[in-house]
Amino acid sequence: MGTRRPRMIAALAVVSLAAACSQGDGGDGGGAGYPEQNITIVVPFSAGGPTDTVTRMIADPMAKELGGKIVVQNVEGAGGTVAAGEVAQAEPDGYTVLMHHIGMATAPALYKDLGYQPLEDFATIGLVTEVPMTVVARPGFPPATLADLTTYVKANQDKVTLANAGRGAASHLCGLLFQSAAGVKLQEVPYQGTGPALTDLVGGQVDFMCDQTTNTSGQITAGKVKAYAVTTPERVGSLPDVPTTTEAGMPQLQVSVWHGLYAPAGTPPEIVQRLSGALQKALADQAVIDQMAELGTAPVAAGDATPDAHRAQLEEQTQTWAKVIADAGVQAS
């Protein structure tokens, strides 16, 4: 990937802590004195979006466990690839890490000139959470159920608008799967982020979209959008009245948006393990569990918040989505 360069950080949020780091937790070699300066978690999407929300939930408890400060920085652009590219080039010292979602697995197939390879240019730290998606529509959209929606879009392919947060975004990927399952090709309306897309959906400017429960749960419970289904095998606790896609007659539409933490390749294993251990502690924090539950998700099991489990997920999902994206004939620039 060429010469790595340190990155000056303009912090959007700083999470402070009071606990001191003990020598016993430091490990050997590169991890013994870590951290000695602020750690930055780079989020490749806008502040207030689903990935940013999840990051801020775990930042404080991770920082307390590590005995330092965590800075959360939002670097938007190109479906998360701008931020990922910057972190891939950062010094592999554990002070710049990336929080990314399923887009790390889809980027190699979506982008012809990506500039980095997720499996080669990053060290996986651990999975964080798998967020269900929801199929939601504007108020007053005629279909009442997911089956009705399928029938309706087949009859109105040239009129129905399907919103997403941009090429490569989770909402875009879910929309591709919906179109494949329904056997339709719809007019897609890409936005620069989930927030504007959902705002236009609530306002009636677009017809429907897929989006994460971390974004839609509040809108659904408030009655601002119409919910058809959640895209997971089981119903979501925060949305008990919303059926699964299997219950609603579309079992092919199964997708969750998994998030994980990454460090630049070459980061000392001791530091990766320190970060992974702090992540596991954060995910066991009751406040984090409660916050995630309110948004229709939950922390992964401790065994999945590890470098090995995370890498296995990235490898499997990269293969899976390569076929989906190739079949759809989709490319992003």
Side-chain angles (χ1 to χ4, degrees), residues 26-139:
D28 299 324
Y34 175 84
E36 296 177 334
Q37 64 189 60
N38 290 356
I39 299 167
T40 298
I41 299 180
V42 177
V43 176
F45 305 105
S46 61
T51 304
D52 178 74
T53 298
V54 169
T55 304
R56 293 173 194 275
M57 284 181 184
I58 66 169
D60 188 28
M62 279 190 69
K64 288 178 180 176
E65 177 64 19
L66 289 166
K69 293 181 180 180
I70 288 183
V71 176
V72 179
Q73 186 189 21
N74 300 89
V75 179
E76 304 172 49
T81 62
V82 172
E86 289 188 1
V87 175
Q89 291 285 327
E91 287 294 329
D93 54 12
Y95 292 107
T96 304
V97 299
L98 174 73
M99 172 76 89
H100 208 334
H101 63 28
I102 192 173
M104 279 291 269
T106 61
L110 271 174
Y111 293 88
K112 186 176 181 180
D113 300 311
L114 187 58
Y116 62 88
Q117 289 301 317
L119 287 165
E120 297 174 8
D121 296 324
F122 291 92
T124 51
I125 295 170
L127 296 170
V128 179
T129 185
E130 291 204 40
V131 182
M133 302 288 286
T134 51
V135 183
V136 293
R138 62 175 171 82

Side-chain angles (χ1 to χ4, degrees), residues 88-266:
Q89 291 285 327
E91 287 294 329
D93 54 12
Y95 292 107
T96 304
V97 299
L98 174 73
M99 172 76 89
H100 208 334
H101 63 28
I102 192 173
M104 279 291 269
T106 61
L110 271 174
Y111 293 88
K112 186 176 181 180
D113 300 311
L114 187 58
Y116 62 88
Q117 289 301 317
L119 287 165
E120 297 174 8
D121 296 324
F122 291 92
T124 51
I125 295 170
L127 296 170
V128 179
T129 185
E130 291 204 40
V131 182
M133 302 288 286
T134 51
V135 183
V136 293
R138 62 175 171 82
F141 194 46
T145 66
L146 188 64
D148 293 340
L149 175 64
T150 302
T151 301
Y152 186 87
V153 298
K154 285 181 177 179
N156 296 277
Q157 292 189 50
D158 58 337
K159 300 177 183 178
V160 173
T161 51
L162 173 62
N164 64 55
R167 285 290 176 97
S171 53
H172 175 226
L173 300 170
C174 183
L176 290 179
L177 284 181
F178 173 85
Q179 292 177 82
S180 175
V184 295
K185 182 65 176 175
L186 301 176
Q187 178 184 345
E188 297 183 35
V189 183
Y191 287 81
Q192 293 296 317
T194 301
L198 194 57
T199 295
D200 273 8
L201 186 75
V202 172
Q205 279 75 49
V206 287
D207 292 324
F208 81 110
M209 68 180 295
C210 292
D211 202 4
Q212 299 174 60
T213 55
T214 44
N215 250 11
T216 61
S217 289
Q219 304 284 0
I220 293 169
T221 55
K224 294 183 178 180
V225 296
K226 180 183 293 187
Y228 292 116
V230 294
T231 63
T232 47
E234 298 179 356
R235 292 197 182 198
V236 173
S238 62
L239 300 168
D241 297 327
V242 180
T244 67
T245 49
T246 298
E247 291 173 331
M250 190 179 280
Q252 312 96 306
L253 185 56
Q254 294 279 323
V255 59
S256 60
V257 182
W258 51 273
H259 295 76
L261 282 175
Y262 302 81

